[in-house]
Amino acid sequence: MGHTIPEVAIVVALGIFAWTLVEYTLYRFRFHIKTKTYWGNTLHYLLHGCHHKHPMDGLRLVFPPTTTTILLYPFWNMIKLFSTPTTAHAAFGGGLLGYVMYDVTHYYVHHGQPTIKFPKILRDTPSGIYDGGIFGNVSWSLRRREYHLNHHFWVEDKGYEITSFFCDKVFGTLPPSKLAGKSR
């Protein structure tokens, strides 16, 4: 209401950025929490542990739509709390767009079929290409796939983001390059 298209685009971009922070926070501090009780272990397994136990199971990759819909209500209220009435819808839309981009990316890195052949090193070991490693300009999809599968199979306490590296860089949770370690 009364905002120009560039203003709305900025608010949507801020919503996407906010989702990036939510994604990182959930993954690092909720989905990778250390539990000590039976019920804590059970809840953790149901929320995220089953995905790490069976990372290539296509039925365990995205949050169920019903649960997502229920959780949207508190997120909508949080957006309304931190934005103006005229920008809340655009910010929420940006956050929702960020979430959909995350879900699609996450599904793709587990089950997508890249259009170029994986170099042998990408199939066998994490190469560190996400931090400018040996392949230089490898496609975004290959970098995302390698980065996330590195999180699943080699360094579970690093590399929490799916759609970007931003928060992992800022908060010091970028996984180390396995090749860099071998060359030393």
Side-chain angles (χ1 to χ4, degrees), residues 62-90:
V62 296
F63 225 52
T66 305
T67 308
T68 301
T69 303
I70 292 167
L71 291 175
L72 284 177
Y73 185 73
F75 282 113
W76 167 245
N77 285 322
M78 186 176 71
I79 292 287
K80 287 192 316 186
L81 183 67
F82 290 108
S83 63
T84 66
T86 61
T87 60
H89 292 89

Side-chain angles (χ1 to χ4, degrees), residues 2-156:
H3 293 287
T4 66
I5 291 176
E7 289 171 337
V8 172
I10 289 170
V11 174
V12 168
L14 289 172
I16 293 170
F17 178 73
W19 165 255
T20 300
L21 296 174
V22 168
E23 173 191 345
Y24 180 83
T25 302
L26 284 173
Y27 260 80
R28 183 173 182 186
F29 298 109
R30 182 61 59 198
F31 293 160
H32 286 269
I33 192 171
K34 301 293 181 210
T35 58
K36 294 181 173 90
T37 66
Y38 170 80
W39 291 110
N41 291 341
T42 301
L43 183 62
H44 176 265
Y45 181 80
L46 292 174
L47 284 175
H48 192 66
C50 63
H51 171 58
H52 270 265
K53 186 171 176 117
H54 309 283
M56 298 315 205
D57 183 345
L59 299 177
R60 301 171 197 258
L61 284 178
V62 296
F63 225 52
T66 305
T67 308
T68 301
T69 303
I70 292 167
L71 291 175
L72 284 177
Y73 185 73
F75 282 113
W76 167 245
N77 285 322
M78 186 176 71
I79 292 287
K80 287 192 316 186
L81 183 67
F82 290 108
S83 63
T84 66
T86 61
T87 60
H89 292 89
F92 185 73
L96 196 55
L97 178 60
Y99 169 74
V100 169
M101 290 170 17
Y102 150 80
D103 251 357
V104 169
T105 302
H106 193 220
Y107 192 86
Y108 181 80
V109 298
H110 282 275
H111 293 288
Q113 299 298 319
T115 55
I116 66 172
K117 185 178 178 188
F118 276 109
K120 182 179 183 336
I121 198 162
L122 287 182
R123 291 187 306 255
D124 296 342
T125 63
S127 67
I129 59 174
Y130 48 82
D131 61 2
I134 63 173
F135 292 111
N137 291 330
V138 175
S139 77
W140 180 87
S141 62
L142 289 177
R143 287 183 290 146
R144 295 299 339 135
R145 183 179 181 105
E146 194 253 353
Y147 186 81
H148 185 62
L149 294 182
N150 183 32
H151 167 74
H152 272 281
F153 297 112
W154 286 281
V155 190
E156 275 194 20

